[in-house]
């Protein structure tokens, strides 16, 4: 399978965190030049730098994570306004209403994939999993700090 000019999930987040470019089109073209052209050949030498990607995530003043969507929005609002918006606290009487876009993709559970496919996905996302775990830890630390500052429960309501 030729990957040129196609969506390529191979350590996608880590690649995008480590390539310096100013537009999506330029980034996409740079990433395509870096990619292996055969899905069965993922050389270690071409893996994006996890160290550089971690530095970029650590330097961000704010980022959100889908699994913590509401909490991420609450943190952003607090950083911009200096107080929690209605609905952020677990004991809030109002909820934050968000429109969820599915893009016509049906819910799925990656645990239902057969072991061979799971291993391929793991190979394709090795660096991204490290990056995600680190980003999640940073976000959770920031959210715990926000809970301390505001004396509110915010995570996992």
């Amino acid at each position: 399978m030729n990957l040129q000019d196609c969506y390529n999930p191979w350590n996608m987040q880590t690649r995008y965190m480590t390539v310096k470019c100013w537009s999506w089109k330029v980034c996409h073209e740079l990433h395509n030049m870096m990619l292996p052209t055969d899905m069965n050949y993922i050389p270690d030498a071409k893996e994006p730098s996890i160290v550089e990607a971690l530095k970029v995530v650590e330097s961000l003043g704010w980022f959100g994570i889908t699994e913590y969507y509401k909490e991420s929005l609450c943190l952003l609002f607090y950083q911009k306004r200096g107080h929690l918006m209605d609905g952020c606290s677990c004991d809030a009487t109002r909820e934050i209403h968000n429109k969820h876009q599915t893009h016509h993709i049906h819910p799925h559970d990656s645990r239902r994939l057969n072991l061979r496919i799971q291993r391929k996905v793991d190979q394709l996302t090795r660096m991204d999993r490290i990056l995600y775990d680190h980003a999640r830890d940073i976000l959770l630390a920031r959210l715990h700090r926000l809970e301390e500052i505001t004396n509110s429960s915010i995570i996992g309501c």
Side-chain angles (χ1 to χ4, degrees):
M1 175 181 179
N2 189 322
L3 300 177
Q4 300 301 329
D5 296 322
C6 295
Y7 162 77
N8 186 301
W10 178 67
N11 291 313
M12 188 170 136
Q13 291 291 331
T14 308
R15 284 186 289 122
Y16 274 82
M17 289 289 181
T18 57
V19 172
K20 295 176 179 34
C21 51
W22 296 103
S23 77
W24 181 89
K25 184 173 176 20
V26 172
C27 279
H28 182 70
E29 290 168 2
L30 285 171
H31 289 301
N32 280 343
M33 291 187 312
M34 296 169 49
L35 297 174
T37 57
D38 180 352
M39 288 290 275
N40 296 317
Y41 177 65
I42 308 278
D44 287 339
K46 289 194 174 204
E47 282 192 333
S49 169
I50 191 64
V51 172
E52 290 303 311
L54 294 173
K55 285 180 187 176
V56 170
V57 169
E58 290 169 357
S59 73
L60 297 173
W62 179 88
F63 57 85
I65 293 181
T66 302
E67 291 81 4
Y68 297 95
Y69 184 79
K70 182 191 118 191
E71 293 91 340
S72 297
L73 285 179
C74 292
L75 178 61
L76 178 62
F77 190 90
Y78 183 84
Q79 287 177 332
K80 293 298 175 190
R81 301 280 172 95
H83 61 88
L84 290 178
M85 69 177 158
D86 292 342
C88 284
S89 173
C90 290
D91 60 359
T93 55
R94 290 182 56 182
E95 286 187 30
I96 297 173
H97 295 285
N98 302 302
K99 185 175 181 181
H100 181 73
Q101 292 285 338
T102 64
H103 302 281
H104 308 291
I105 296 174
H106 301 289
H108 58 279
D109 185 348
S110 60
R111 295 172 295 188
R112 295 184 66 195
L113 297 172
N114 71 49
L115 191 56
R116 184 178 65 81
I117 299 297
Q118 286 182 26
R119 285 185 181 142
K120 283 187 175 191
V121 170
D122 286 347
Q123 181 186 18
L124 285 171
T125 60
R126 188 169 75 90
M127 295 298 176
D128 281 355
R129 287 182 284 120
I130 295 168
L131 183 65
Y132 173 85
D133 288 345
H134 190 70
R136 184 196 57 226
D137 292 346
I138 292 170
L139 178 63
L140 287 173
R142 290 176 180 178
L143 290 169
H144 285 299
R145 181 69 183 127
L146 180 59
E147 287 181 326
E148 290 173 6
I149 292 169
T150 62
N151 196 30
S152 299
S153 294
I154 299 167
I155 303 169
C157 303

